[in-house]
Amino acid sequence: MFAALRRWFSGWRLLGVLAFLAIMAWLALRQLPDGRLHVYFLDVGQGDAILVQTPDGRQILIDGGPNPTALLGEMNAVMPFWDRSLDLVVLTHPDGDHLTGLLAVLDRYQVARVLDTPQTDTTPLAAAWRERLTEGNIPRTVARRGLRIPLGDVMLTVLHPSSKPLTGTASDENNNSIVLRIDYGPTSLLLTGDAESEAEADMIKAGLPLQANVLKVGHHGSNGSTSAPFLAAVTPSEAVIQVGADNSFDHPAREVLKRLMDARAEILRTDINGRIEAVSDGRTLSMKVSRWPTVTGRR
Ligand SMILES: [Zn+2]
């Protein structure tokens, strides 16, 4: 038997096995915590899905996009292949382009906790979400303004909605999206879900800390979001738009692109740039994309 084993592992085959092991080790090491904050804006088509990996290796998924296959493929690409657990899953609001993929995630990943929208929709999709949370016995925290979730050296803060949900807006569902801010040292990101101008005005009025290096542009670049006063408060140097190629909504709106350019923000879009990554070492922040070029911007 040992002779057979020795024969099997001899020569080229042994080299092949070693090369395979080296590649697997390299892939594994590449995806291990590296003391930096990584925020991946996943390329999932017309919808939002953002994976956060903290410097000490905690993983948070914010929304799941419209397509489970696309989401799981993207998560496999940025997470270690053996890793099937998430520390936190956030649902900003119960629209299909944010929620659909999360159902597949609850089926396939061990989820330690959910930060849930306070919205109680009665759609079959929202019902399926709540059913999965109950069946899986997943601890659930309902988001409200002021909630702070420390993740090692990184702080996650809920800026919106307040305890008094907005009503009578262009879209109450969008305007009560969970808005999150992520701080790591002096570097920061603002993730606005599908919040529209009414939610933006509410956050400005509340005097919340809105300034951030990276703005995840609200509602896929729809003209109802990313108002000039909001941009003046955020002053982002980087603007990320999660949007599907040739989508039927004509997102992002030309007017929003113009406002972002006027605000001198570099515009990165998942339909053009593929997966977009923000990396911070707690002092400076940089952006990576899987496809160049950008449509506009300073680079
Ligand atoms: Zn959306």
Side-chain angles (χ1 to χ4, degrees):
M1 171 169 169
F2 288 113
L5 264 181
R6 212 170 28 238
R7 256 199 319 278
W8 198 86
F9 274 116
S10 68
W12 289 109
R13 198 170 268 162
L14 178 61
L15 266 181
V17 169
L18 288 176
F20 173 76
L21 288 175
I23 288 168
M24 294 308 276
W26 176 77
L27 280 174
L29 283 173
R30 205 175 57 128
Q31 291 165 325
L32 284 177
D34 60 358
R36 297 188 294 173
L37 169 71
H38 298 261
V39 180
Y40 301 96
F41 300 90
L42 302 177
D43 185 11
V44 293
Q46 179 69 14
D48 278 8
I50 302 163
L51 186 82
V52 178
Q53 184 174 304
T54 66
D56 60 3
R58 283 173 243 216
Q59 294 147 327
I60 299 105
L61 178 67
I62 302 157
D63 288 338
N67 179 338
T69 312
L71 175 66
L72 296 174
E74 283 286 271
M75 289 176 70
N76 280 336
V78 296
M79 285 173 70
F81 62 86
W82 66 85
D83 191 350
R84 284 290 173 272
S85 68
L86 290 164
D87 298 274
L88 185 69
V89 165
V90 183
L91 173 63
T92 62
H93 66 299
D95 274 356
D97 57 324
H98 299 251
L99 170 52
T100 308
L102 288 186
L103 298 182
V105 165
L106 291 185
D107 289 343
R108 284 171 183 76
Y109 285 75
Q110 199 79 29
V111 174
R113 178 168 290 276
V114 158
L115 178 65
D116 204 3
T117 167
Q119 300 188 44
T120 50
D121 281 40
T122 52
T123 60
L125 193 62
W129 164 251
R130 283 192 294 270
E131 221 172 81
R132 293 270 210 309
L133 297 186
T134 313
E135 276 169 9
N137 231 343
I138 302 171
R140 171 177 175 267
T141 304
V142 177
R144 57 181 160 71
R145 180 172 291 168
L147 184 69
R148 285 159 71 83
I149 303 172
L151 305 161
D153 294 333
V154 172
M155 183 61 81
L156 192 68
T157 309
V158 178
L159 298 186
H160 194 80
S162 73
S163 52
K164 206 168 141 258
L166 294 179
T167 53
T169 67
S171 162
D172 290 351
E173 189 147 296
N174 287 345
N175 275 303
N176 290 301
S177 281
I178 297 177
V179 176
L180 294 171
R181 117 169 241 116
I182 301 176
D183 285 285
Y184 183 34
T187 63
S188 53
L189 300 95
L190 192 64
L191 312 178
T192 58
D194 278 358
E196 299 186 11
S197 58
E198 292 96 331
E200 295 171 356
D202 187 66
M203 288 185 277
I204 294 170
K205 201 171 128 212
L208 299 173
L210 296 174
Q211 197 284 321
N213 304 122
V214 180
L215 170 67
K216 198 295 294 181
V217 172
H219 197 198
H220 321 288
S222 144
N223 193 26
S225 300
T226 321
S227 62
F230 188 64
L231 275 178
V234 181
T235 62
S237 52
E238 308 287 341
V240 177
I241 305 178
Q242 291 206 279
V243 70
D246 302 321
N247 65 81
S248 54
F249 307 95
D250 276 335
H251 291 160
R254 200 189 306 256
E255 296 87 338
V256 170
L257 297 177
K258 166 101 173 45
R259 290 199 286 277
L260 289 169
M261 282 187 270
D262 290 346
R264 300 184 56 77
E266 178 179 50
I267 300 168
L268 300 168
R269 303 166 44 164
T270 51
D271 61 337
I272 291 173
N273 303 111
R275 187 187 316 133
I276 298 162
E277 180 186 353
V279 189
S280 166
D281 60 4
R283 292 183 298 276
T284 56
L285 184 142
S286 59
M287 304 299 289
K288 291 183 190 172
V289 295
S290 60
R291 286 199 298 268
W292 284 111
T294 51
V295 242
T296 60
R298 305 180 313 261
R299 246 177 247 253

